Amino acid sequence: MDEEPEVATTNSDGMRIAYIEIDTLTAQYEFAKEKSLELEKKSTNARNTIQSKTQQLEKNAQAFQQKLQSNGYTSREQAEAAQASLQREQQNIMALQQRLESELASEQQKFLQAFQDSLDNFLADYNKDKKYDMIVNKAAVLYADKRFDITADVVNGMNRRYKKVAASDSTKTK
């Protein structure tokens, strides 16, 4: 695995402690960067779809109002049917928005779980050699000396592992 950082990582009690800056890890871990981009694209596409459908609904509502004001409907039933159609269109848009938001939330949750699983599995292997008593998230720590920071080591190791898995997956699909 990675070589031991040259600085001491043992506190005064003899405990070996290290920390990871999760924000840095997510910003530099290739898997996290790829999945974040995918989720952002899906989110943008969903927003654009809803915005487009909403704009079309607004146009249809304006056309309905103009036709209503100019007595363009031959009967009250025809006007009511057109209004009901607009309401269904609005309900469909709201249902679509809820479905897309739910799908995105589900994909986000799957990504977070995969990220956590990847980190847990990597740290289990990583710590076989390193023998830390504790590896913590820097965000949960008020102060820690930089010598306890193993973020770069973990980022590099996880990226190497991810590239191997990605290369293996790409040869399987060919």
Side-chain angles (χ1 to χ4, degrees):
M1 287 241 147
D2 299 322
E3 292 193 22
E4 184 78 30
E6 295 197 22
V7 291
T9 55
T10 305
N11 72 10
S12 61
D13 296 333
M15 279 186 67
R16 291 179 41 84
I17 299 172
Y19 70 83
I20 299 169
E21 294 188 29
I22 296 295
D23 290 347
T24 301
L25 176 60
T26 56
Q28 296 178 2
Y29 180 31
E30 292 301 319
F31 169 75
K33 291 188 327 187
E34 289 172 12
K35 291 298 179 184
S36 292
L37 278 174
E38 281 179 31
L39 288 170
E40 185 56 38
K41 284 180 185 176
K42 287 181 180 185
S43 178
T44 299
N45 287 342
R47 269 193 312 274
N48 290 343
T49 297
I50 296 301
Q51 184 178 17
S52 172
K53 290 186 178 295
T54 300
Q55 288 172 346
Q56 185 60 48
L57 174 63
E58 289 170 0
K59 287 179 186 176
N60 293 346
Q62 287 173 349
F64 168 77
Q65 283 297 328
Q66 288 174 348
K67 192 170 181 179
L68 188 63
Q69 290 172 354
S70 65
N71 294 320
Y73 292 104
T74 56
S75 69
R76 182 174 156 189
E77 290 79 20
Q78 189 182 28
E80 288 173 354
Q83 186 175 21
S85 176
L86 285 173
Q87 288 172 340
R88 280 192 304 277
E89 188 176 348
Q90 183 179 23
Q91 289 170 346
N92 289 341
I93 291 170
M94 290 186 331
L96 175 63
Q97 183 174 10
Q98 287 175 343
R99 184 177 58 83
L100 292 174
E101 287 173 356
S102 177
E103 287 174 6
L104 283 170
S106 175
E107 288 189 41
Q108 177 75 18
Q109 187 59 39
K110 286 178 188 173
F111 159 66
L112 291 173
Q113 186 62 51
F115 176 81
Q116 187 64 53
D117 289 348
S118 179
L119 180 59
D120 291 348
N121 289 326
F122 176 80
L123 289 177
D125 287 343
Y126 177 85
N127 206 38
K128 286 177 186 174
D129 295 332
K130 304 298 182 182
K131 308 256 189 270
Y132 289 109
D133 295 304
M134 187 181 305
I135 300 173
V136 298
N137 177 355
K138 173 78 166 41
V141 176
L142 296 176
Y143 174 79
D145 192 296
K146 207 57 178 148
R147 69 187 170 148
F148 296 108
D149 186 358
I150 60 170
T151 305
D153 206 24
V154 171
V155 167
N156 293 333
M158 289 183 75
N159 278 334
R160 278 194 300 278
R161 179 184 261 192
Y162 179 65
K163 287 176 186 171
K164 285 180 189 174
V165 169
S168 172
D169 287 349
S170 70
T171 57
K172 288 179 186 175
T173 57
K174 288 183 180 177

